[in-house]
Amino acid sequence: MSKTMIDLAVLDMAGTTVADDGLVLQAFDIAATEAGIDAEGPQRDHARKYVLDTMGQSKITVFRALLGDEHRAQLANQTFEQAYDRLIDEVGIAPIPGAAEAVSALREANVRVALTTGFSRATQDRLLAALGWTDIADLTVSPSEAGRGRPYPDMVLTAVLRLRIDSVHRVAVLGDTTSDIATGHAAGARIVAGTLTGAHDADRLRAAGATHVLASVAEFATVILEECS
């Protein structure tokens, strides 16, 4: 086996393999209003900026930081998930073009694939079902199953353990946020790539330490397969 072989690809969902189209921010606004954050003004502006800056992190963690109260945070998170589920039905979701093909190409090349998220397991399952992706990956992981969400390495390391990958140096990570990049580096992944289809731009992804900045997930399989050759 090549010393540069990639055995596991860990891909984020919303903004990376799934087109978001602003659904996260719409659901957040609904939850923030329910939690008592002013609909307009400095408090809401601060909250929206914080959500954008921390995009990719576990949503309950974001609400805890914003509200400073566990009960309010739990209620806001529940409202967020309910609102996001409604928006999936009302607006609909779609994969990033080329996402399913990239995952298929990786698995055909014997690279295991894990999909991760900052959402709860219930919301992640809702997304997978809506896309018809229940069997697309070798593994799907949510923060509650791993211990902590991004920017911690837990979800990547959970995938390494569950899929019996021999070394973190044989892992590639792809995401659209600086939190994804931080997670990949904390886990020791060889490739930690950013994609421009989601929350953060190329400058922010590079500043966070992205080893590659790609136009979309459609390019990710090529990067990994070249690494494996």
Side-chain angles (χ1 to χ4, degrees):
M1 183 180 292
S2 168
K3 291 182 180 179
T4 62
M5 177 68 74
I6 297 298
D7 290 336
L8 170 64
V10 180
L11 290 75
D12 170 50
M13 292 188 68
T16 299
T17 54
V18 182
D20 174 64
D21 293 329
L23 295 193
V24 168
L25 285 178
Q26 290 181 55
F28 167 76
D29 274 332
I30 293 168
T33 298
E34 187 71 18
I37 297 176
D38 294 339
E40 299 293 340
Q43 187 183 28
R44 180 58 67 95
D45 291 343
H46 166 74
R48 285 176 178 151
K49 183 178 185 303
Y50 186 81
V51 168
L52 287 170
D53 288 344
T54 59
M55 197 69 79
Q57 295 186 19
S58 173
K59 298 302 175 285
I60 183 60
T61 301
V62 173
F63 283 118
R64 283 171 178 149
L66 284 172
L67 299 172
D69 178 88
E70 183 65 19
H71 180 66
R72 289 179 69 203
Q74 291 288 348
L75 289 176
N77 190 60
Q78 183 178 22
T79 302
F80 170 86
E81 291 181 356
Q82 292 170 345
Y84 195 85
D85 285 352
R86 288 198 306 272
L87 289 166
I88 290 174
D89 290 332
E90 294 169 5
V91 179
I93 58 168
I96 297 289
E101 293 81 359
V103 171
S104 294
L106 290 170
R107 295 185 76 188
E108 287 172 6
N110 295 318
V111 176
R112 311 296 291 277
V113 175
L115 296 178
T116 61
T117 183
F119 298 138
S120 69
R121 164 51 67 182
T123 300
Q124 185 179 38
D125 285 345
R126 183 78 178 78
L127 279 171
L128 292 167
L131 292 164
W133 278 9
T134 53
D135 297 318
I136 195 172
D138 296 283
L139 181 70
T140 60
V141 184
S142 66
S144 62
E145 297 161 332
R148 297 172 296 180
R150 306 182 191 105
Y152 300 103
D154 301 28
M155 288 196 288
V156 175
L157 296 179
T158 295
V160 168
L161 291 170
R162 290 189 184 176
L163 294 174
R164 298 179 180 274
I165 304 303
D166 291 341
S167 169
V168 293
H169 206 51
R170 298 181 184 276
V171 177
V173 172
L174 177 70
D176 65 294
T177 70
T178 58
S179 294
D180 291 295
I181 305 303
T183 289
H185 282 300
R190 172 183 288 275
I191 293 174
V192 184
T195 177
L196 299 178
T197 51
H200 294 159
D201 61 21
D203 288 343
R204 291 189 69 176
L205 294 169
R206 289 193 183 98
T211 60
H212 303 69
V213 175
L214 309 176
S216 80
V217 63
E219 298 179 359
F220 192 52
T222 300
V223 169
I224 291 179
L225 296 178
E226 286 178 352
E227 188 77 4
C228 292
S229 62

